Structure formats: C-alpha cells, structure tokens
C-alpha cells in the first residue's frame, strides 16, 4: 500500500470558505479538495435541488428524438426499447418503456442475449423488430458505435434513436437522433451521465411537451440512482442531484421490484454503498446467468407479490454468480502462477470454459491480488470475448486503442472495457497489451494507493463534524468517502483477529493523552495479518474512514481502517 496525502489548499482559501459557511476549517478543506470553493457551489452541494437539473433540450438531437417519438405515437407505430443487459441498460429500458407505456400501448422491450448476441445493438434484435413490425428502436446504454447495425435497420425502414454515454468513434451512426453528452459537438453542460441518466433526460424532454413537471418524474429516480451507483460514474453535478433524490425514493417509495430486492435487509436507511453491493449485483445477475429480460420484468412489475417471485428467482441467479466468480478467480490465479506471470505489468488470462457473465467481476477480483490492468477472456461462439478492468490513473481504453489491430471490436471507458478478437490473434494481442502497459504506466500506478484527505486527531471527530460529513453523501467517484490519517494511536488491549479465517482486525483505539483520551472502536477488513503492529500497546498510525455502525437498533461511530503502519 502507498499512502499519499492529498495537497492541502492554501490557508487563505480555507479560512475564506470556513468563514462564509460558518464551518470549521477541516470541513472547508474537504470541500475545496472536491472542487467546492464558493458559497454558491457549497449551497448546490449541500442542498441538491431538482430545479438545478439542466434543460434536456440542451442535449444535441434531443428535439429530433422527441419529434420522432411523437410522430410514432401519432401514426400508431410500434416502438421497441432496446438496451444492454447490465444494470445501466436494464434500468434504462425499464425507465423509458414504463414511461412510454404510461400513455401509449404499442411499446415493447428487447434486451440482447449476453451469450448469443453479445454487447450492444444486434442484427438479431433488428430482425426481431422487422419481423414484428417495429418502425422505431430507442437504444439505451449502447449504439454509439453501431454504424453497420443502424444502416442495416435503415434498409428495413426502421429508424433509430440512440441514447448512449460511451465515447463515440470517429463517425456517428446515421440515426434519427444520437443523444450522447460525450459527442464532441454536444454542448450539454454535464457529460458524465450514465445510460439510464440519458434515458431520464429523454423522458424529461417528452414530458415537457405533455405539460409535466419534474415532480412527475421523481418515481423514476430509484432506477436512475441504481444505475449511477452501479456504473461508477462521477457523483457530481447532475448525477449528484439524481442520486440524492433517487436514494430518497429507494428509502421511501421504491417501485415494487426494488422493494422486493431490499425488503429483507434489516437496515433502516440504505445508502449508495448498499445500492452498489446489494441491489446492483442482483439486477446484474439476471443478465449474467440467465437473461437481462428477467431484470426488466422485475423492475417494471407493479404487483408486489409478483415482484417478490421475480426477486427470489434473481436471488438464485445471484447465488450461482457468486459460486462461479469464486471458482473462476481461483482458476485464473493458478493460470498466472503456472505461467510465471506474477511480475508482469498486466494480466491477460483465458479459458474457454469460463462463464462469460462473470469475467468482469473476475477481472476486478484478480486486481485485488495482482494490482495491474487486467483482461479476462473466454470463448464466445467462434471468437474470444473479454472484460477489462484498470487500476487508478491508467486509461485501459486508450491502451486497447493502441492494440486495436488485433481486436474485432472494443468499447468502454477509462477503467472498464469489453472486446472480442479472433483466436489466432490472442497471443499477439496479449504481448502487444503487455508492451503498451509497460511503456505507458507509471510505476506508482502498480501499487495500490490510499489517498488521504487530511491528517486529524481523534478529538476532531465531534458530533457536529459528523453531522456535516453525513451531508457530503451520496459518496462516489470525485466525491469519495473522506479518508483520514491519525498518528500516535494505541490499542486499549482489545485487539484481536476476527472472521471465519481471522482475516479482519478489531480493536479499540486511543490517542496519546495530550491529544485527547476518548477512545473509539475500529475495524480493519483484510488486515488481520497486521495484529503484530498494534499488539502490546505499540504506537501506530492509521488511515481510515469514519463509519456509523448499526447494531441492535443502536448507532455508534467506528473507524473503518484502510491500513495501519
């Protein structure tokens, strides 16, 4: 682990903001580190408002998209809502289809089969539309590079509206409208929306022409918040507003499908982390193990009893997904060992038997052991398909672009991507990718970093400080849970290893007398092997987040240790 202290803003800036907001200097420092430097910016941050959502018609082609959908409704055309099989895609399809169906019946949904059709718009999906007399397809969370597919549809008199958030290629598909805030020629003020977020802007625009206000769209925000959390997009700007109000919906009046997924959870209030680790994997499990249609069925079901039935089926898929990812991770780690590839700059592994639905999760798991850009391949039809995951600071999409001569297709983001290649190109690609990573990665990027926001004393953790810190939520990329450093700590004699395999560490820490004697409970997941550092009341320093621990209805503070030394 590499500990780095984030740069501290100038004392003058800190003083100024602290005075304007009437908060202590530590809070002002944390805000400035998140790009919040004025009273106005702080007001937007602490008091998210639906009034601050942007006008959807600022997005390039939005007027054309709305016009074409309204024409379809006027002419009684059949509309097919098409989306990817992951959380972002299935929530987007659920959102747009359920909105359209609320006032127009000729709407159906289509999620491609992960194994038969693969990612994105498929020829099979277009054939389905053609056979069933659909003349308009709205594609969500995919399609920005589907030039051939859109052309194929055009030849069959089927129009496309594309709602995507992935990076465009050099050319755009010839669709009626291409909604993507990452388009170079799109001046929409916020370009970090997820696919479901772009879908939300579309229904918002449709609603304006039907005299609806933002209040009418609040019930859809549980879907948007779930997609934002799962797709790991920055929780800044418009995403912060959508996630903030979406979490309120999840905690007060979620749709029956989401209620069915969470109703067994004992927690009073779910936060963004619960969405990431409880709701999202279950929605994803449908597309990974069975079919993404099951997720859309769940998320668009209005009867709670029926939703519970769907949720229990999805729970079965999720259990199977967990077993698969554990087994494949074990096999992949052995492959790295058997090939003596522990010291390489990248991980590229392959087995024809690995389940395509979990290779992305496996790539993330492998990074926990070998911290470096990682690609996991499996057999898919007559090609190899893969998921890539990266490490902090390294753009895996750019690296793939450098090796694209060996790839059939690829797409994605800085930290996650998907691709296919022909069997004969696998070894060449593996060598080329390793070479690109070796030449372009900074050595520091190969050591996991703990980026510390500020050094504090335990005395700084006051009830008022915690009240304000809670208002930083929802946390996520570009507004991560603050990590603090405290020195001169000692365990009060309680330190012990816990967990089935004694991999975790539990202790009760105090700071030396001059800096306050109040103690606080601490837990360190995965650092049970560091018990020696804290034993016999030895002095140590810790990097940690501050957590609220709920137990038997009582809430207490605890330090969630990231590392100790």
């Amino acid at each position: 682990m590499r500990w780095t202290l984030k740069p501290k803003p100038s004392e003058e800036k800190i003083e100024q903001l602290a005075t304007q907001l009437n908060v202590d200097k530590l809070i002002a420092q944390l805000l400035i580190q998140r790009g919040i430097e004025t009273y106005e910016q702080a007001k937007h941050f602490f008091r998210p408002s639906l009034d601050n959502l942007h006008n959807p018609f600022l997005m390039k082609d939005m007027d054309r998209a709305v016009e074409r959908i309204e024409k379809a409704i006027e002419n009684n055309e059949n509309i097919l809502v098409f989306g990817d099989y992951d959380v972002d895609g299935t929530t987007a399809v659920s959102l747009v289809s359920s909105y359209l169906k609320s006032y127009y019946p000729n709407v159906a949904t289509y999620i491609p089969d992960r194994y038969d059709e693969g990612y994105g718009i498929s020829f099979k999906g277009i054939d389905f539309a053609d056979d069933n007399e659909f003349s308009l397809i709205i594609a969500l969370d995919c399609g920005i590079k589907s030039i051939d597919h859109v052309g194929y549809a055009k030849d069959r008199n089927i129009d496309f509206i594309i709602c995507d958030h992935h990076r465009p290629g050099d050319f755009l598909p010839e669709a009626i409208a291409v909604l993507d805030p990452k388009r170079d020629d799109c001046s929409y003020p916020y370009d970090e929306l997820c696919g479901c977020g772009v879908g939300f802007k579309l229904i918002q625009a449709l609603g304006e022409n039907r005299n609806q206000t933002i209040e009418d769209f609040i019930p859809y925000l549980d879907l948007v918040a779930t997609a934002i959390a799962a797709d790991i997009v920055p929780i800044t700007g418009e995403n912060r507003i959508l996630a903030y109000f979406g979490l309120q919906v999840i905690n007060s009046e979620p749709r029956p499908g989401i209620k069915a997924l969470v109703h067994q959870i004992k927690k009073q209030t779910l936060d963004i982390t619960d969405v990431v680790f409880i709701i999202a994997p279950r929605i994803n499990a449908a597309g990974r193990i069975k079919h993404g249609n099951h997720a859309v069925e769940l998320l668009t079901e209005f009867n709670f009893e029926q939703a519970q039935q769907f949720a229990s089926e999805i729970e079965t898929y999720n259990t199977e997904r967990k077993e698969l990812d554990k087994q494949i991770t074990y096999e992949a780690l052995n492959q790295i060992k058997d090939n003596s590839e522990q010291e390489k700059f990248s991980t590229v592994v392959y087995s024809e038997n690995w389940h395509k639905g979990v290779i992305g999760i496996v790539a993330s798991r492998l990074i926990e052991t070998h911290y470096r850009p990682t690609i996991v391949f499996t057999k898919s039809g007559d090609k190899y398909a893969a998921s890539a995951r990266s490490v902090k600071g390294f753009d895996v999409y750019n690296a793939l672009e450098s090796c694209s001569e060996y790839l059939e297709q690829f797409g994605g983001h800085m930290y996650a991507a998907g691709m296919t290649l022909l069997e004969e190109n696998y070894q060449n690609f593996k060598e080329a990718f390793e070479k690109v990573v070796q030449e372009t990665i900074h050595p520091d990027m190969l050591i996991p970093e703990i980026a510390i926001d500020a050094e504090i004393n335990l005395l700084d953790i006051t009830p008022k400080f915690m009240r304000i810190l809670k208002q930083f939520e929802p946390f996520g990329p570009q507004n991560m849970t603050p990590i603090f450093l405290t020195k001169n700590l000692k365990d009060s004699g309680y330190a012990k290893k816990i967990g089935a395999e004694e991999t975790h560490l539990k202790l009760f820490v105090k700071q030396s007398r001059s800096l306050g004697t109040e103690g606080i409970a601490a837990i360190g997941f995965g650092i049970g092997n560091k018990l020696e550092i804290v034993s016999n009341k030895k002095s140590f320093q810790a990097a940690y987040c501050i957590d609220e621990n709920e137990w038997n209805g009582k809430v207490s503070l605890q330090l969630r240790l990231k590392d100790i030394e």
Side-chain angles (χ1 to χ4, degrees):
M1 284 285 188
R2 176 169 59 92
W3 297 21
T4 57
L5 204 53
K6 290 181 188 172
K8 188 176 178 180
S10 75
E11 202 59 43
E12 187 189 350
K13 264 188 176 179
I14 293 173
E15 287 270 7
Q16 198 177 1
L17 190 62
T19 306
Q20 283 178 357
L21 302 180
N22 190 24
V23 294
D24 83 42
K25 292 203 304 191
L26 176 55
I27 292 290
Q29 175 182 333
L30 295 173
L31 288 169
I32 294 166
Q33 286 171 328
R34 283 154 181 73
I36 295 143
E37 300 189 1
T38 66
Y39 178 86
E40 204 53 36
Q41 288 172 330
K43 187 178 149 191
H44 287 315
F45 181 76
F46 284 123
R47 302 283 177 269
S49 167
L50 292 167
D51 295 337
N52 293 328
L53 292 176
H54 303 301
N55 179 342
F57 287 99
L58 293 173
M59 197 176 290
K60 176 92 174 165
D61 280 3
M62 185 63 81
D63 50 347
R64 299 177 66 176
V66 169
E67 193 183 316
R68 180 63 185 90
I69 292 167
E70 287 180 345
K71 182 186 159 199
I73 290 169
E74 203 180 302
N75 295 338
N76 225 26
E77 295 176 56
N78 293 331
I79 302 173
L80 187 64
V81 182
F82 188 109
D84 190 25
Y85 38 67
D86 68 0
V87 177
D88 196 14
T90 53
T91 52
V93 166
S94 301
L95 178 136
V96 172
S97 66
S98 60
Y99 176 72
L100 289 172
K101 281 179 183 174
S102 71
Y103 65 97
Y104 181 66
N106 303 353
V107 177
T109 61
Y110 190 97
I111 305 284
D113 184 285
R114 189 174 203 128
Y115 307 102
D116 181 30
E117 296 161 81
Y119 168 79
I121 295 167
S122 63
F123 292 115
K124 190 174 178 180
I126 296 166
D127 289 342
F128 170 86
D130 193 24
D131 294 344
N132 293 281
E133 298 180 349
F134 287 93
S135 47
L136 176 62
I137 298 176
I138 302 171
L140 295 145
D141 190 35
C142 60
I144 197 65
K145 289 184 169 181
S146 301
I147 293 165
D148 294 346
H149 295 90
V150 171
Y152 181 82
K154 211 172 181 181
D155 293 343
R156 285 152 184 76
N157 296 315
I158 299 169
D159 288 338
F160 256 99
I161 292 169
I162 285 164
C163 307
D164 205 349
H165 70 120
H166 297 95
R167 293 189 206 176
D170 294 334
F171 301 100
L172 294 175
E174 287 185 21
I176 295 291
V178 178
L179 308 178
D180 187 336
K182 289 195 178 75
R183 277 178 68 165
D184 287 339
D185 60 350
C186 179
S187 56
Y188 189 73
Y190 187 72
D191 62 3
E192 295 293 354
L193 292 170
C194 60
C196 188
V198 178
F200 181 78
K201 299 312 291 188
L202 175 62
I203 69 166
Q204 203 189 335
L206 288 163
E208 281 199 16
N209 287 6
R210 300 180 62 239
N211 296 320
Q212 289 179 302
T213 68
I214 194 64
E215 299 298 318
D216 296 303
F217 295 100
I218 290 173
Y220 297 93
L221 291 179
D222 53 357
L223 292 171
V224 184
T226 300
I228 287 169
D231 227 50
I232 318 178
V233 288
I235 302 194
T236 54
E238 206 163 31
N239 280 344
R240 180 171 172 82
I241 300 169
L242 295 167
Y244 178 86
F245 287 98
L247 280 168
Q248 287 187 359
V249 177
I250 288 170
N251 282 305
S252 56
E253 290 183 77
R255 64 197 48 242
I258 287 180
K259 188 179 175 184
L261 287 177
V262 302
H263 87 290
Q264 294 153 322
I265 297 162
K266 301 287 183 282
K267 257 185 112 174
Q268 292 277 248
T269 308
L270 300 185
D271 59 24
I272 204 95
T273 308
D274 299 313
V275 178
V276 171
F277 290 106
I278 296 164
I279 300 175
R282 285 162 174 79
I283 294 172
N284 244 334
R288 291 184 190 284
I289 303 300
K290 200 78 174 172
H291 200 289
N293 283 338
H294 294 276
V296 175
E297 269 180 351
L298 173 75
L299 296 172
T300 53
E301 179 55 59
F302 288 103
N303 178 289
F304 183 60
E305 281 67 34
Q306 185 58 60
Q308 281 184 299
Q309 180 58 43
F310 289 147
S312 86
E313 288 166 15
I314 278 179
E315 195 58 51
T316 311
Y317 306 146
N318 195 44
T319 305
E320 189 179 334
R321 186 271 305 166
K322 283 182 190 170
E323 286 163 4
L324 280 166
D325 101 51
K326 196 174 172 184
Q327 177 59 29
I328 295 168
T329 301
Y330 174 77
E331 289 174 19
L333 286 169
N334 280 341
Q335 190 177 119
I336 293 165
K337 203 169 156 188
D338 293 348
N339 294 342
S340 304
E341 292 173 340
Q342 296 96 321
E343 301 307 315
K344 287 196 163 222
F345 288 83
S346 67
T347 295
V348 180
V349 287
Y350 161 77
S351 169
E352 65 176 350
N353 302 318
W354 290 342
H355 196 289
K356 192 179 168 190
V358 298
I359 54 176
I361 302 173
V362 171
S364 298
R365 295 261 188 270
L366 295 178
I367 287 175
E368 291 168 15
T369 305
H370 300 289
Y371 191 78
R372 58 201 188 189
T374 296
I375 305 179
V376 179
F377 278 93
T378 186
K379 192 87 184 270
S380 178
D382 57 353
K383 292 178 184 168
Y384 285 12
S387 274
R389 296 292 181 268
S390 196
V391 294
K392 186 177 177 181
F394 186 78
D395 193 325
V396 74
Y397 183 93
N398 284 351
L400 291 175
E401 217 157 27
S402 305
C403 312
S404 58
E405 63 190 287
Y406 301 113
L407 298 172
E408 292 294 290
Q409 57 181 146
F410 72 99
H413 310 281
M414 177 170 178
Y415 289 120
M419 73 214 77
T420 56
L421 51 66
L422 298 173
E423 183 177 347
E424 57 267 27
N425 288 329
Y426 172 72
Q427 201 53 44
N428 287 337
F429 168 79
K430 182 171 175 168
E431 287 164 16
F433 184 73
E434 169 70 11
K435 188 168 185 282
V436 167
V437 176
Q438 184 175 357
E439 288 170 358
T440 58
I441 200 163
H442 189 282
D444 279 353
M445 289 181 196
L446 296 167
I447 305 163
E449 179 192 28
I450 297 175
I452 294 161
D453 291 79
E455 183 181 337
I456 66 171
N457 295 316
L458 293 187
L459 274 180
D460 295 321
I461 306 170
T462 62
K464 184 185 176 187
F465 175 70
M466 287 310 299
R467 271 199 311 277
I468 299 174
L469 202 59
K470 264 190 89 62
Q471 291 175 49
F472 278 52
E473 296 177 13
F475 293 118
Q478 292 180 31
N479 177 36
M480 298 301 277
T481 308
I483 296 176
F484 301 108
L485 164 67
T486 299
K487 295 177 177 173
N488 302 317
L489 291 171
K490 285 185 180 176
D491 172 58
S492 305
Y494 294 94
K496 59 178 179 181
K497 292 182 184 183
I498 59 167
E501 292 169 23
E502 297 196 331
T503 47
H504 314 313
L505 189 62
K506 192 169 174 59
L507 51 161
F508 193 84
V509 299
K510 290 190 173 188
Q511 206 169 7
S512 59
R513 192 171 299 143
S514 60
L515 299 169
T517 53
E518 278 302 298
I520 189 165
I523 187 157
F525 295 106
I527 58 169
N529 58 341
K530 297 198 170 187
L531 178 64
E532 177 54 34
I533 291 174
V534 303
S535 59
N536 302 322
K537 299 197 176 178
K538 288 200 279 278
S539 183
F540 64 95
Q541 57 182 1
Y544 60 88
C545 302
I546 308 166
D547 256 358
E548 280 187 338
N549 185 32
E550 241 179 81
W551 182 253
N552 287 341
K554 286 177 106 174
V555 178
S556 60
L557 292 183
Q558 71 173 9
L559 309 185
R560 182 158 42 86
L561 303 174
K562 295 282 184 183
D563 198 17
I564 54 174
E565 57 179 35

